[in-house]
Amino acid sequence: MENKILGLHHITAIANQAKRNLDFYTHILGLRLVKKTVNFDDPGTYHFYFGNETGAPGTILTFFPWEGIGQGINGAGQATHIGYAIAPEAYDFWKQRLGTHNIVVEENEIFGEKTLSFKDPDGLQLQFIVPKSTDNRTPWSTPEITTQNGLKGFHNVTLTLKNSEPTIKVLTDILGYSMEKQEGNRFRLSTDTIDTANIVDIMEDETTPYGRGAAGTNHHIAFRVKDDHVLMDFREKVLSAGLQITPKIDRDYFYSLYFREPGGVLFELATDNPGFTKDEPLAELGRHLKLPKQYEGRRHDIEQSLPQL
Ligand code: ZN
């Protein structure tokens, strides 16, 4: 398993107002802010990482909150739904809690799993799912959300595609996923290298218009590898399949490669090392604004220009 894809590492999406985004994910959904940093290409914009206590791979949802960015459109060529695993006992808790916060919740069943579907304040489509298999991950807890009710981390991510075949080929032939089942136009692929955050669903619909990236849409999804040696092995595999891929990029908390799969979704591969405790102790994760080295000299200006939280 050492040299395989180990499910999802993180998912990154776009928001509008930083404060609203921070409040929603930490207060309403009860995730831990595990890192507060800036967009490496645009240091006037925050980069938030939300996850469990340690920010374990498979629990991390990250946002670029660009103040004033327009509304995006979820559609074909995107990761359109982000699925979190919850305990069976947490289902009614969330149905009620989301309702209390005036969030419209739709109840459905996907591949036999009970699902609460709703949108975040920017329109990002989230799903809380009771998986058929047991999920032993320990959620972060808050005064309002107990460990039993908390979000365990990702269950799956759903890609909406006009034509699923080329994307399925990348998932199976390069990333080691297998086709598990199909219901109508919905496919479920999974990897057995790990037992959580190991599912990619695909909804195929030729008539769905293409999405447009802005607030409320996904930016990319990242798959997890153990370390940079495995990362570079995958770089060769992606290149051999005739796809373009970036060089290795140092993201401070992991090393990354990016490539666009043929269906239009930006895929990243990201390492476990070095992790979020690289520059803050576990107990203090997310408390301090962390800047990449190249911006440390401009800290004062950057702090002044960032939106108020
Ligand atoms: Zn990423």
Side-chain angles (χ1 to χ4, degrees), residues 139-209:
W140 181 242
S141 62
T142 71
E144 293 180 11
I145 303 166
T146 62
T147 303
Q148 192 189 41
N149 286 330
L151 306 184
K152 292 170 180 287
F154 299 131
H155 179 53
N156 64 349
V157 64
T158 303
L159 315 181
T160 297
L161 303 169
K162 284 182 178 281
N163 172 18
S164 63
E165 201 186 309
T167 304
I168 290 174
K169 206 169 151 53
V170 168
L171 285 163
T172 55
D173 297 3
I174 304 177
L175 303 181
Y177 280 68
S178 308
M179 181 65 74
E180 200 182 301
K181 46 191 150 186
Q182 181 184 359
E183 270 178 13
N185 66 338
R186 192 186 283 271
F187 303 86
R188 172 156 287 189
L189 292 96
S190 64
T191 175
D192 60 6
T193 55
I194 189 157
D195 54 13
T196 55
N198 63 342
I199 295 169
V200 177
D201 286 348
I202 292 176
M203 282 202 299
E204 183 183 57
D205 185 358
E206 210 191 354
T207 66
T208 305

Side-chain angles (χ1 to χ4, degrees), residues 10-15 39 41 47 61-64 66 69 74 77-80 82 124 157 212-222 251 258-260 264-268:
H10 66 269
I11 296 176
T12 294
I14 304 169
N39 184 321
D41 303 313
H47 191 186
L61 180 60
T62 99
F63 284 91
F64 298 125
W66 275 299
I69 193 176
N74 277 285
Q78 291 176 327
T80 50
I82 296 166
L124 189 69
V157 64
R212 188 169 56 81
T217 65
N218 175 263
H219 189 271
H220 62 267
I221 65 171
R251 289 298 182 201
Y258 299 83
F259 69 101
R260 200 167 293 276
V265 184
L266 185 59
F267 279 7
E268 177 183 353

Side-chain angles (χ1 to χ4, degrees), residues 37-47 64-67 251 292 294-295 298 302 305-306:
T37 178
V38 294
N39 184 321
F40 285 18
D41 303 313
D42 173 16
T45 298
Y46 277 116
H47 191 186
F64 298 125
W66 275 299
E67 303 291 319
R251 289 298 182 201
Q294 65 270 33
Y295 296 132
R298 291 168 52 195
I302 289 171
S305 69
L306 284 166

